[in-house]
Amino acid sequence: MRDMRNFFLPVFLSASVFSGAAYAALPTEVEDIRTGTDLAAACTMLVEHDLTDEGKLAAKACSDFLGVMVQKVYVATPAGQPTMFSRIGPKQDTNLCFRLPEKLSFVNFAKLILSYGKAHPELDDRPAFETGAWVLSTNFPCPDVAEPN
């Protein structure tokens, strides 16, 4: 029995170190950003102006992700009109509405992502797009629209 324990302990420790290192890797391409945690990790590098090679790649991945998100909104919505995201959340039963501001820098958008993410850890494992959608709808909500009489 003692021999088996000596065998499994190094194997377990090796596997733990390997999986921990893989988990800790920064997203360095936009395709690497899948979850709220990935988005926060990449955007942290943008906000902190990390100048390491990996930090620069992660910052670019954050900028690219946020840029694609905003570009899709501009393509889908006439200028100045509210944008609706539907089927958001674990049950895909939430609709979010926002209006993009006239100016929103990547760094400011990234700061909003980080701030919102810290307050909403439930988004860590959700798709990164949802984190962005919640940030936009919280910070730039649609005006209340009066119901017709």
Side-chain angles (χ1 to χ4, degrees):
M1 181 66 144
R2 184 157 172 75
D3 291 335
M4 292 298 278
R5 229 181 304 158
N6 288 340
F7 171 76
F8 285 114
L9 183 60
V11 170
F12 174 75
L13 290 175
S14 297
S16 298
V17 168
F18 177 77
S19 63
Y23 181 77
L26 281 173
T28 55
E29 295 186 22
V30 71
E31 296 83 17
D32 297 337
I33 299 176
R34 294 182 183 93
T35 66
T37 297
D38 296 335
L39 183 58
C43 289
T44 296
M45 298 300 103
L46 178 64
V47 168
E48 293 180 356
H49 306 290
D50 187 308
L51 298 178
T52 64
D53 289 343
E54 191 177 35
K56 287 189 254 184
L57 290 172
K60 184 178 180 328
C62 171
S63 293
D64 289 349
F65 183 91
L66 299 178
V68 167
M69 189 170 186
V70 169
Q71 182 182 27
K72 286 182 179 184
V73 170
Y74 282 134
V75 168
T77 308
Q81 295 298 309
T83 300
M84 289 292 296
F85 287 140
S86 57
R87 297 188 313 254
I88 301 292
K91 296 180 183 177
Q92 296 187 344
D93 61 351
T94 301
N95 295 320
L96 301 175
C97 186
F98 67 91
R99 285 184 191 222
L100 281 178
E102 286 186 31
K103 287 179 105 175
L104 179 60
S105 72
F106 289 132
V107 172
N108 287 338
F109 196 176
K111 286 178 180 178
L112 293 173
I113 293 283
L114 296 177
S115 175
Y116 195 85
K118 285 179 187 172
H120 296 278
E122 68 276 9
L123 294 173
D124 287 352
D125 295 325
R126 300 291 309 147
F129 169 82
E130 284 189 21
T131 301
W134 279 105
V135 165
L136 291 171
S137 69
T138 300
N139 290 281
F140 311 105
C142 292
D144 291 334
V145 178
E147 293 293 322
N149 292 335

